[in-house]
Amino acid sequence: DDTIKILNEDKSFENFDKTVNVALLQTSATSSQKERLYRASSLLERAATQIGVPELALLASRVQLDAFTKVKEEIDKMVTELNRQQQDEIEHRDWCIDELNKNNRSTEEQYDIKENLQAKIADLEKTIDYLTKEITATTKAVADMQEQMKRASENREGENADYQQTVTDQRLTQMILDKAHKRMQQVYAMLQQREEPKPGAPHIHTSGNHTDPGNGPARFTKYEQHAGGSRVLRMLETIMADSRKMEDEAITAEQDSQSAYENFMKDSNKAIAKYTETIVSMKGAKARAEQDLVMAEGDLKATVATLEELHDTNGALHKSCDFIMDTFDARQAARAAEVDALKEAKAILSGAK
């Protein structure tokens, strides 16, 4: 038994591979060695069937053909490779999770940016449209006001010309009436002087009877002043008073009209200045809004391009990751079972089981 045990040790087999003829080893193999080979081969075949790994079935065949040392080296290589695949797959899975999460977060952020930019563009377009209409309306208001000022100036000139003519006419009328009045006064005075009664020669008074009138003092009719001349003078005075009143009223109306005109022009100029300032301000705001609109449209275009890139990246990630993510647990379990089977087979070949 001790001899067989010594011969079955791994070191003995390794040395036999180098120094003893293979045919001699085959003929000297004990039933214990054959049992170990059979058990290891059976184990690998069952694992190959259960896990579905053809490499294990191939290794099971080689167990019965190759030397122990060679098979165990192959098992070690396979275990190392499988462990590396396990770790690579874990790292790939973690990378996929991280990249997909990053892609989703970036996509959500870009969609938020897109929505904000679209809302900003809509607001800017609305603002530009409003400012355009306001600028047009205010410009028209200034033009209308200037037209009103022009008409007011023309009307003022006409009113002033009428005023000048009225004053001239009334003053000429007053001058003519004054002359007529003075002349009438002179004529009336002369008439009064001519019609005054003059004293007669003295005579003897004789009484009259039914046949002789006698020679008593002569009887004179009562003298009356010319009432018509007085009425004419009063009429002339009334007309002159009316004329002076019309002149005064014309002067007052002219002063009122001039004052109203000056106030209107002053207020209109103030309003035009304010409107002009508003127009300048609105044009500046419109220019800034148009500049912001160009920038926002550029940002929106860039955001859409970024979203397209993110969608492409997402597609590539799913193409690279979906299979691994969907089959990760099963693949990890299968590979772990394969590693366990290989380790168990090696243990059998090494005599540990």
Side-chain angles (χ1 to χ4, degrees), residues 248-309:
D248 292 341
E249 289 175 350
I251 292 172
T252 301
E254 171 65 14
Q255 291 174 345
D256 291 343
S257 296
Q258 182 64 25
S259 178
Y261 168 75
E262 290 175 357
N263 289 333
F264 171 75
M265 297 298 285
K266 183 178 179 181
D267 293 341
S268 296
N269 283 324
K270 285 183 179 179
I272 289 174
K274 186 175 181 181
Y275 279 146
T276 302
E277 183 180 351
T278 301
I279 289 171
V280 171
S281 177
M282 288 192 296
K283 284 184 176 179
K286 180 185 176 185
R288 290 190 294 273
E290 289 173 341
Q291 185 177 5
D292 291 343
L293 178 61
V294 171
M295 294 180 64
E297 288 175 341
D299 292 341
L300 178 61
K301 185 177 180 181
T303 301
V304 170
T306 301
L307 281 170
E308 291 177 354
E309 292 177 0

Side-chain angles (χ1 to χ4, degrees), residues 2 20 30 33 63 66 108 113 118 151 180 213 222 305 321 339 352:
D2 292 338
V20 182
T30 63
Q33 293 171 337
V63 166
D66 294 340
E108 289 177 0
I113 293 173
Q118 288 174 331
R151 291 180 181 178
K222 186 178 180 182
C321 298
V339 169

Side-chain angles (χ1 to χ4, degrees), residues 129-287:
D129 181 65
Y130 168 77
L131 289 173
T132 300
K133 290 179 180 178
E134 285 297 307
I135 290 170
T136 301
T138 307
T139 302
K140 185 178 183 301
V142 170
D144 291 344
M145 193 166 291
Q146 290 172 336
E147 180 64 23
Q148 291 174 4
M149 292 172 69
K150 179 182 176 183
R151 291 180 181 178
S153 296
E154 293 172 352
N155 292 336
R156 182 83 279 276
E157 290 177 2
E159 290 172 354
N160 183 259
D162 291 342
Y163 159 74
Q164 296 291 343
Q165 186 64 46
T166 298
V167 170
T168 299
D169 291 344
Q170 294 303 322
R171 287 179 180 176
L172 181 60
T173 299
Q174 293 168 27
M175 183 181 67
I176 294 172
L177 292 173
D178 184 63
K179 287 182 179 180
H181 184 269
K182 289 179 180 178
R183 182 59 180 164
M184 191 67 184
Q185 283 180 326
Q186 292 175 357
V187 172
Y188 185 58
M190 290 172 58
L191 290 174
Q192 283 183 328
Q193 290 176 359
R194 289 177 182 176
E195 294 178 358
E196 285 288 336
K198 295 181 180 180
H203 62 281
I204 298 172
H205 176 75
T206 59
S207 298
N209 53 39
H210 68 281
T211 59
D212 185 4
N215 63 348
R219 291 179 298 171
F220 295 94
T221 58
K222 186 178 180 182
Y223 176 78
E224 293 182 1
Q225 296 182 350
H226 291 270
S230 178
R231 286 195 300 271
V232 171
L233 288 174
R234 287 197 300 271
M235 182 183 67
L236 290 174
E237 291 171 355
T238 300
I239 294 173
M240 284 191 295
D242 291 342
S243 178
R244 284 192 293 270
K245 182 179 179 182
M246 289 180 66
E247 180 185 354
D248 292 341
E249 289 175 350
I251 292 172
T252 301
E254 171 65 14
Q255 291 174 345
D256 291 343
S257 296
Q258 182 64 25
S259 178
Y261 168 75
E262 290 175 357
N263 289 333
F264 171 75
M265 297 298 285
K266 183 178 179 181
D267 293 341
S268 296
N269 283 324
K270 285 183 179 179
I272 289 174
K274 186 175 181 181
Y275 279 146
T276 302
E277 183 180 351
T278 301
I279 289 171
V280 171
S281 177
M282 288 192 296
K283 284 184 176 179
K286 180 185 176 185

